[in-house]
Amino acid sequence: MTDQRAPERGTSEPEATVTQGKRRSAGAVWLRETAIILVSAFILSFLVKTFLVQAFFIPSASMEDTLVEGDRVLVSKLTPGPFDLHRGDIVVFKDPGGWLPSSSTADQGAVAEKVSQALTWVGLLPQDSGEHLIKRVIGLPGDRVASEGSGEPVTVNGVAIDEPYVAQGVSPSDISFDITVPEGYVWVMGDNRSDSADSRYHLGDPGGGSIPIDNVVGMTFIKVWPFDRLGLLRNPSETFTEVPDPS
């Protein structure tokens, strides 16, 4: 009687080749889809940063107690633009020249620096403070902003304003000034008036201390980090309710 044994189970060479091909194909699909997701995320982040929202961090104490050093904030790039600036808005703006001291950044290595620059460029890291400042808009184009100094209140178009956002125990201004904001400019001041080299300290600059609206990156609208300081930054519109339009 002939011994008929069942063929041994296993994978023939052609079948093994097909299986390996499927694995390589699946790996290629995974890599392609991952690359598409990453590229799409970078593009979306770049578009959001360019046209809608950008992250910044607070580098100094000039806006205390509203913002403290190390806070991370988001800035709406729709203001100015589709939406107008208002008195009381907190804005990030590019240094018009001479507002920031030249400073050297710590060397983090060529590769790390390039990666940091790339992530900042696409908006995945907050913008550094190398050429940007953050202050509150007090005067709009045409407004007359003044103070007699020595702790006297700031006036806008002849009306003394009550400023609840000014740091506790700090006077509205120890410096006297009286200026009419030029067209295309805004007058800005820090909330921590005793520690803010704001428009008052640049009276001899072009614009008389006011900054060009074209330099404004956008309006700060929320604190996002640290989490225990998360919160919206609302415009104190009641402060300027009685201020008339410039004559």
Side-chain angles (χ1 to χ4, degrees), residues 18-225:
V18 170
T19 301
Q20 292 174 0
K22 287 182 177 179
R23 288 175 180 171
R24 284 196 295 267
S25 178
V29 169
W30 182 85
L31 287 174
R32 184 171 66 250
E33 290 180 350
T34 301
I36 290 172
I37 291 172
L38 289 175
V39 170
S40 299
F42 271 79
I43 292 174
L44 179 60
S45 180
F46 173 73
L47 291 175
V48 169
K49 173 227 173 183
T50 302
F51 299 108
L52 296 176
V53 175
Q54 187 171 358
F56 286 85
F57 71 86
I58 307 304
S60 71
S62 69
M63 284 297 294
E64 290 183 354
D65 297 320
T66 306
L67 298 170
V68 301
E69 188 172 353
D71 279 353
R72 264 61 170 178
V73 298
L74 294 183
V75 171
S76 169
K77 294 194 150 186
L78 300 177
T79 306
F83 302 105
D84 294 329
L85 284 171
H86 295 89
R87 304 181 190 100
D89 286 345
I90 299 174
V91 296
V92 169
F93 59 96
K94 187 175 180 180
D95 183 0
W99 284 55
L100 288 171
S102 57
S103 59
S104 57
T105 56
D107 184 13
Q108 54 181 341
V111 175
E113 183 177 357
K114 293 297 182 183
V115 171
S116 178
Q117 289 174 352
L119 293 177
T120 300
W121 185 72
V122 298
L124 296 179
L125 282 181
Q127 179 70 48
D128 63 33
S129 57
E131 57 179 9
H132 292 88
L133 302 99
I134 184 166
K135 307 290 179 189
R136 190 182 297 274
V137 174
I138 303 299
L140 296 173
D143 282 344
R144 182 181 178 186
V145 187
S147 175
E148 295 180 3
S150 301
E152 292 298 316
V154 173
T155 64
V156 181
N157 298 333
V159 174
I161 57 175
D162 178 23
E163 302 182 275
Y165 44 77
V166 171
Q168 187 174 3
V170 175
S171 65
S173 183
D174 292 325
I175 299 173
S176 62
F177 61 91
D178 189 338
I179 184 173
T180 298
V181 182
E183 193 64 32
Y185 287 72
V186 289
W187 178 271
V188 295
M189 300 175 73
D191 290 356
N192 189 4
R193 300 285 163 81
S194 63
D195 192 14
S196 176
D198 48 43
S199 289
R200 298 169 296 164
Y201 290 83
H202 298 274
L203 296 171
D205 293 355
S210 301
I211 61 145
I213 293 178
D214 287 345
N215 282 42
V216 176
V217 175
M219 180 192 70
T220 304
F221 67 96
I222 189 172
K223 294 177 287 185
V224 295
W225 184 264

